[in-house]
Amino acid sequence: MKFQGTDSYVATDDLKVAVNAAVTLERPLLVKGEPGTGKTELARQVAESLGLQMIEWNIKSTTKAQQGLYEYDAVSRLRDSQLGEEKVHDVKNYIRKGKLWTAFESDEKVVLLIDEVDKADIEFPNDLLQELDRMEFHVYETGETIRARHRPIVIITSNNEKELPDAFLRRCFFHYIRFPDMETMKRIVEVHHPGIKGELLTTALTQFFELRETAGLKKKPSTSEVLDWLKLLLAEDLQPGDLKRDGANALPKLHGALLKNEQDVHLFERLAFLARGQR
């Protein structure tokens, strides 16, 4: 069972090595990187490449680890008991299975994505240590122990918004997705916009990388944003010459696809003003 990438996802050699190492070690793969570098999409492509179902658990700031196992709805059971409902006698009627439970009881191996783990409380990763390590958990309301029938391939993503506990990191295989260089980006663009003219692509990407390296930029545009930008350039049938910038107009064409806050727009407006003043 080897991940080799797919036709719709450009995976670098070191990323393939990381995925396959995590599968071999039966450890969760912790993937970090800038937003928009394909961390979430990686899990989908691993599932597609290996012919497995994917179960996705999207983490929010309010998410608790227990929700990934199960939730017991005591309020509904109390209400039903007051109404004389027959189902109140079976506690299982009030237990909602979480994503880990669903993955554990699957009849086939699955890919389990725990997306943006760093959004949750700092204790969230520690609360999942035993379950991800031993691949089992106890249901106190019924007295049963749920064990994984097939150990899932666990992929955990993080945007580096907060540090993760050392005990959690020790149990993971780690990989940082670096931002693509020019050549890798060209391969990614070719997957999404096949047949794009080479001169337009080179001009656009040169401008994109120059924009990313602008000092003082608050939010650097990501891979997903450059793909959106190129889609707009193609829709408008713009030519390489149309993308030319000068001191009077430092903002790139259709910059709303790349710059996502007013501070960065004002930064380029100031650069244009300074350039005009130096003439």
Side-chain angles (χ1 to χ4, degrees):
M1 186 175 280
K2 291 281 187 181
F3 173 64
Q4 300 295 343
T6 67
D7 293 338
S8 59
Y9 187 87
V10 176
T12 57
D13 289 340
D14 58 342
L15 179 56
K16 295 175 191 175
V17 168
V19 171
N20 292 319
V23 172
T24 300
L25 293 172
E26 295 187 327
R27 296 274 190 180
L29 173 63
L30 174 61
V31 185
K32 290 187 178 183
E34 288 184 35
T37 49
K39 301 184 297 296
T40 301
E41 187 62 25
L42 171 65
R44 299 190 181 104
Q45 297 300 326
V46 168
E48 179 183 327
S49 173
L50 302 180
L52 304 176
Q53 177 194 355
M54 190 184 87
I55 296 172
E56 188 170 350
W57 186 15
N58 295 302
I59 307 304
K60 301 177 182 178
S61 60
T62 56
T63 303
K64 302 298 181 186
Q66 180 65 32
Q67 293 171 307
L69 309 179
Y70 69 92
E71 291 183 275
Y72 170 53
D73 192 351
V75 174
S76 292
R77 192 181 189 194
L78 176 60
R79 184 189 63 235
D80 288 347
S81 68
Q82 293 170 338
L83 296 174
E85 294 281 353
E86 196 62 35
K87 67 177 184 177
V88 76
H89 301 294
D90 188 352
V91 69
K92 290 183 179 180
N93 290 322
Y94 302 93
I95 290 179
R96 291 197 294 266
K97 297 177 182 179
K99 299 294 185 179
L100 265 73
W101 190 330
T102 303
F104 284 7
E105 73 174 1
S106 174
D107 290 328
E108 299 179 344
K109 195 177 191 71
V110 300
V111 173
L112 172 63
L113 169 63
I114 304 177
D115 200 24
E116 299 189 331
V117 69
D118 52 327
K119 278 189 174 180
D121 183 86
I122 190 62
E123 289 304 318
F124 178 89
N126 279 336
D127 291 343
L128 286 177
L129 285 180
Q130 180 171 313
E131 288 76 13
L132 291 176
D133 203 23
R134 298 176 60 184
M135 285 289 150
E136 65 177 41
F137 63 90
H138 188 70
V139 183
Y140 295 97
E141 289 77 8
T142 64
E144 62 185 323
T145 298
I146 306 300
R147 295 183 178 87
R149 297 176 185 174
H150 304 276
R151 193 177 189 99
I153 297 172
V154 181
I155 297 178
I156 304 170
T157 72
S158 168
N159 286 328
N160 250 350
E161 291 183 6
K162 62 170 71 84
E163 288 294 320
L164 298 174
D166 288 345
F168 180 77
L169 294 174
R170 282 197 300 272
R171 288 166 169 81
C172 297
F173 190 93
F174 172 76
H175 182 75
Y176 184 86
I177 298 182
R178 294 180 178 84
F179 195 84
D181 58 21
M182 176 73 85
E183 291 307 311
T184 304
M185 187 65 81
K186 285 183 176 180
R187 290 167 54 203
I188 293 171
V189 171
E190 183 62 32
V191 167
H192 293 269
H193 303 297
I196 187 171
K197 292 179 180 178
E199 187 180 355
L200 175 64
L201 178 58
T202 299
T203 302
L205 289 184
T206 299
Q207 194 171 117
F208 168 73
F209 279 103
E210 287 175 353
L211 186 149
R212 271 185 58 88
E213 296 307 314
T214 301
L217 201 64
K218 183 177 181 181
K219 182 193 178 303
K220 294 182 178 182
S222 67
T223 306
S224 59
E225 286 158 341
V226 74
L227 291 174
D228 286 345
W229 185 51
L230 285 165
K231 183 177 181 179
L232 289 174
L233 298 183
L234 291 171
E236 295 292 326
D237 197 24
L238 297 181
Q239 302 304 311
D242 298 325
L243 302 184
K244 184 178 178 182
R245 293 186 295 168
D246 52 37
N249 185 17
L251 283 167
K253 295 282 186 183
L254 301 164
H255 63 269
L258 298 174
L259 302 175
K260 297 302 177 74
N261 60 65
E262 63 276 15
Q263 293 98 318
D264 289 342
V265 173
H266 291 160
L267 171 63
F268 279 90
E269 289 173 343
R270 287 196 301 274
L271 291 175
F273 177 77
L274 292 172
R276 288 195 296 271
Q278 292 172 359
R279 288 184 174 182

